Amino acid sequence: MQLVLVVALTVAALLAPPASRLFAAGATAPPGAVAGAVTGARPAADDDTVPAVGRTWPVGVRPRVPRGWEPPATVYGPGHRGVDLAAAPGTPVRAVADGRVSFAGRVAGKGVVSVELAGTGDPPLRTTYEPVRASVRQGAEVTAGEVIGTVEAGGSHCTAPCVHWGLLRGGTYLDPLSLLPPWLLHRGPSRLLPVLGVPLP
């Protein structure tokens, strides 16, 4: 009897999927959905890689990040499915890379723009920005650095005005900062330096 029980438990363990696949399984986010506003999207999987295709920050030059990406351990677990970037209302919001606007409208009262990034696989990577008053329409092709809207007053979950920037592949949340190459991620504001030993006034 004990031998039968041991064999049954061994077979069950061998046939069970790895824990990482269990946590990666979940409902797919609906088209045009926004990071942080979608329930059912699964947390990031360990094997998801993100090409550093970003050519600009969504707002400003290396803006302050009040809250970073905190992936949930499970589909409905607590976490922060994106990155908050400090930005005053009216600040231009730019596409971080070339792509196509997959959604531009309102979700739960907030302005949202979502851009599918060109050449990033199938399904393509999708960036989301909220709260943003869109200046582009669904289906429009955009280039890196192109203004896609402005930061809306209100609608932010931050204590101070901010833009919530998200990144998904299908229904999997990823760290949007991983889109930025090191030279852009760590670059600070430009500074003038003396030339030929002549001090600046």
Side-chain angles (χ1 to χ4, degrees):
M1 182 64 177
Q2 289 179 344
L3 179 61
V4 172
L5 183 59
V6 169
V7 170
L9 289 174
T10 303
V11 169
L14 291 173
L15 295 177
S20 61
R21 280 181 30 210
L22 285 173
F23 287 132
T28 300
V34 1
V38 177
T39 58
R42 60 184 192 248
D46 293 337
D47 58 352
D48 276 310
T49 56
V50 177
V53 295
R55 293 297 169 258
T56 184
W57 284 88
V59 291
V61 178
R62 201 169 190 278
R64 187 171 62 84
V65 180
R67 187 175 179 188
W69 185 64
E70 301 164 14
T74 61
V75 174
Y76 297 104
H80 191 234
R81 296 161 171 85
V83 171
D84 293 336
L85 305 175
T91 300
V93 178
R94 302 177 185 278
V96 298
D98 297 349
R100 183 185 63 82
V101 178
S102 57
F103 181 83
R106 305 198 74 75
V107 175
K110 299 178 184 179
V112 176
V113 177
S114 181
V115 178
E116 288 184 353
L117 304 184
T120 57
D122 185 24
L125 291 170
R126 186 172 76 251
T127 55
T128 60
Y129 313 85
E130 65 164 288
V132 173
R133 182 175 302 281
S135 60
V136 290
R137 293 187 177 187
Q138 184 171 337
E141 299 290 331
V142 295
T143 57
E146 183 175 340
V147 174
I148 57 175
T150 55
V151 179
E152 285 186 331
S156 171
H157 60 251
C158 303
T159 55
C162 80
V163 168
H164 181 85
W165 176 29
L167 176 66
L168 299 99
R169 186 186 294 282
T172 301
Y173 289 103
L174 302 167
D175 182 1
L177 291 177
S178 59
L179 284 171
L180 303 180
W183 64 267
L184 185 58
L185 189 60
H186 303 296
R187 185 182 70 186
S190 300
R191 293 184 300 169
L192 295 175
L193 297 174
V195 178
L196 300 175
V198 179
L200 294 172

